[in-house]
Amino acid sequence: MDHNSRTARQQHGFTIMQMVITLAIISVVSTVGVLGVKSAREHFKMQNSARLFATYAEKARADSVRRHAGTGEEASLEMFGEGTNTYNVTMDFGSGVETRTFQLDPGITFGTAAAKVTFDWRGRLLGEAVVFQIKSNYLSDEIPVDVSGSGDVTIWSQYYPDYKIPAVAVASVSDDVDHGSASPSPSASVSPSPSGSPSPSEDPTPTPTPTPTPTPTPTPNGNGNGNGNGNNGNNGNNGNNATPTPTATPTPSASPSATPIPQCVSTISPSSLSLSQSIEAHKTGTAVFTVTNGTGVRTISASQAGNGNSLVLGLSLVRIDGNGTSVLTVTTKNGAGNRGVFVVNVTTDPACGSGAQLTVSVTN
């Protein structure tokens, strides 16, 4: 009896609660590890797409310089708006200037409005500087690719406005040049006076043109074929003075026309805003959204194109009954990934026309 008790006490094992806790810990650690690996892969894909896009921009610039490209033969790079993942590169790939289409990695899209950069033979842009945003839909993060007006291409750079650059003190330097008057002074020469031109002689008296005398119109005799035989003047006059009786033509009655119903129209004013990330007075802008010829209640919504989140959007009214207006407020976010040109779509439910679009340009 004592032998069996010692044997039972020496046995070891796990309870069901211990096993459940252990499995839960293993599941949490595995999930964190898988998510970490996926995030790392998405970061790599986003960086790889941004670097490849910047590389083609550099190649296009170098191609224009190498070929000394003339007007209409410049190399260029173009993308097609938020949510798209393809871009065109126009340059000499080895067999003459041609356009080829390239694609970002899966899950990577552009986060800014459609834009195109064209490089001249000096490597400079034919236009203003452009910021392209390469966005990861999984990470909701973006990498900016900047192309400056001078043609420089940089990745993930944050530029600062001119007013943040400290002023440079310029020292005044005197020279040793004699700024006195030249000696001797040149004498002025007298210009000869022009000789008078002869006066024109008077024109001879014009000869008047005679006025033509009008020719009298003859009066016709009464030789009509009325009630007489044509030989009697009175009978001829009676025939000529006979007035025929006109036949009345019925006038059709006017048919009623349908009155067209005016269609609902939505507009936004102004259609574009220029904002800044660092200047306090320019961090926020407003635009007025207007519904015209509307009937019933409509719900208003505003969103950044391509499911972007680089802007903070707000509406003063989210419901309009019939005609009305709502003020859209746009505020910038800090960070290099929030610079560029973005499109904000303002729509209604039920729809009022095709909606309205607001273009927002965000700089430092």
Side-chain angles (χ1 to χ4, degrees), residues 173-180:
V173 180
S174 59
D175 56 26
D176 56 354
V177 178
D178 184 8
H179 297 282

Side-chain angles (χ1 to χ4, degrees), residues 62 67 72 91 95-96 130 145 151 163 166 196 198 204 206 248 298 350 355:
R67 293 187 293 108
M91 57 178 285
S95 58
V130 179
V145 178
Y163 78 91
R298 283 181 166 82

Side-chain angles (χ1 to χ4, degrees), residues 51-135:
R51 295 184 184 280
L52 184 61
F53 182 82
T55 299
Y56 276 115
E58 289 280 11
K59 287 183 177 180
R61 180 192 185 193
D63 178 69
S64 280
V65 176
R66 177 183 60 83
R67 293 187 293 108
H68 203 85
T71 303
E73 298 179 353
E74 299 92 349
S76 63
L77 182 144
E78 181 180 12
M79 49 80 65
F80 306 101
E82 301 94 330
T84 62
N85 63 347
T86 59
Y87 56 95
N88 289 346
V89 180
T90 302
M91 57 178 285
D92 184 2
F93 290 92
S95 58
V97 178
E98 59 179 316
T99 300
R100 294 185 181 180
T101 301
F102 298 90
Q103 189 170 5
L104 302 177
D105 288 338
I108 308 299
T109 59
F110 289 103
T112 46
K116 180 179 180 179
V117 289
T118 303
F119 300 94
D120 63 10
W121 68 273
R122 295 184 179 90
R124 302 173 182 173
L125 286 190
L126 296 179
E128 299 180 351
V130 179
V131 180
F132 300 94
Q133 294 287 352
I134 311 299
K135 176 185 175 183

Side-chain angles (χ1 to χ4, degrees), residues 1-361:
M1 190 72 181
D2 295 338
H3 177 72
N4 294 334
S5 299
R6 287 195 302 268
T7 303
R9 286 194 298 267
Q10 292 175 357
Q11 292 178 354
H12 300 282
F14 299 98
T15 65
I16 295 178
M17 183 60 65
Q18 290 174 334
M19 294 179 63
V20 170
I21 294 175
T22 302
L23 291 176
I25 294 174
I26 293 174
S27 300
V28 171
V29 173
S30 300
T31 302
V32 172
V34 171
L35 292 177
V37 171
K38 184 172 180 59
S39 297
R41 291 181 60 185
E42 292 297 326
H43 272 291
F44 175 78
K45 287 163 56 178
M46 181 173 61
Q47 294 177 7
N48 179 69
S49 295
R51 295 184 184 280
L52 184 61
F53 182 82
T55 299
Y56 276 115
E58 289 280 11
K59 287 183 177 180
R61 180 192 185 193
D63 178 69
S64 280
V65 176
R66 177 183 60 83
R67 293 187 293 108
H68 203 85
T71 303
E73 298 179 353
E74 299 92 349
S76 63
L77 182 144
E78 181 180 12
M79 49 80 65
F80 306 101
E82 301 94 330
T84 62
N85 63 347
T86 59
Y87 56 95
N88 289 346
V89 180
T90 302
M91 57 178 285
D92 184 2
F93 290 92
S95 58
V97 178
E98 59 179 316
T99 300
R100 294 185 181 180
T101 301
F102 298 90
Q103 189 170 5
L104 302 177
D105 288 338
I108 308 299
T109 59
F110 289 103
T112 46
K116 180 179 180 179
V117 289
T118 303
F119 300 94
D120 63 10
W121 68 273
R122 295 184 179 90
R124 302 173 182 173
L125 286 190
L126 296 179
E128 299 180 351
V130 179
V131 180
F132 300 94
Q133 294 287 352
I134 311 299
K135 176 185 175 183
S136 170
N137 296 326
Y138 177 80
L139 301 173
S140 296
D141 194 11
E142 302 181 35
I143 296 179
V145 178
D146 289 79
V147 183
S148 66
S150 60
D152 297 326
V153 182
T154 54
I155 302 176
W156 213 311
S157 298
Q158 181 74 36
Y159 294 98
Y160 297 94
D162 294 339
Y163 78 91
K164 286 196 172 184
I165 301 176
V168 179
V170 180
S172 59
V173 180
S174 59
D175 56 26
D176 56 354
V177 178
D178 184 8
H179 297 282
S181 58
S183 179
S185 301
S187 58
S189 59
V190 181
S191 301
S193 58
S195 58
S197 56
S199 302
S201 58
E202 296 182 356
D203 294 334
T205 303
T207 303
T209 303
T211 303
T213 303
T215 303
T217 303
T219 303
N221 297 324
N223 293 323
N225 295 322
N227 296 328
N229 54 8
N231 296 325
N232 190 321
N234 293 330
N235 292 335
N237 291 332
N238 292 333
N240 288 332
N241 293 332
T243 303
T245 303
T247 303
T249 303
T251 303
S253 59
S255 57
S257 59
T259 303
I261 300 176
Q263 294 183 351
C264 183
V265 178
S266 57
T267 57
I268 192 166
S269 179
S271 59
S272 61
L273 293 174
S274 296
L275 304 179
S276 171
Q277 292 181 338
S278 56
I279 302 176
E280 290 294 334
H282 295 159
K283 281 188 174 182
T284 301
T286 58
V288 179
F289 176 75
T290 305
V291 174
T292 308
N293 299 329
T295 56
V297 179
R298 283 181 166 82
T299 303
I300 308 172
S301 60
S303 62
Q304 186 178 326
N307 296 324
N309 58 352
S310 299
L311 303 170
V312 179
L313 306 176
L315 289 167
S316 62
L317 292 176
V318 294
R319 293 168 65 88
I320 290 181
D321 189 358
N323 300 331
T325 60
S326 179
V327 179
L328 172 64
T329 303
V330 183
T331 304
T332 62
K333 293 181 179 180
N334 292 328
N338 299 320
R339 292 182 295 108
V341 180
F342 307 96
V343 175
V344 176
N345 294 321
V346 185
T347 57
T348 61
D349 185 21
C352 178
S354 58
Q357 285 189 341
L358 175 67
T359 303
V360 182
S361 176

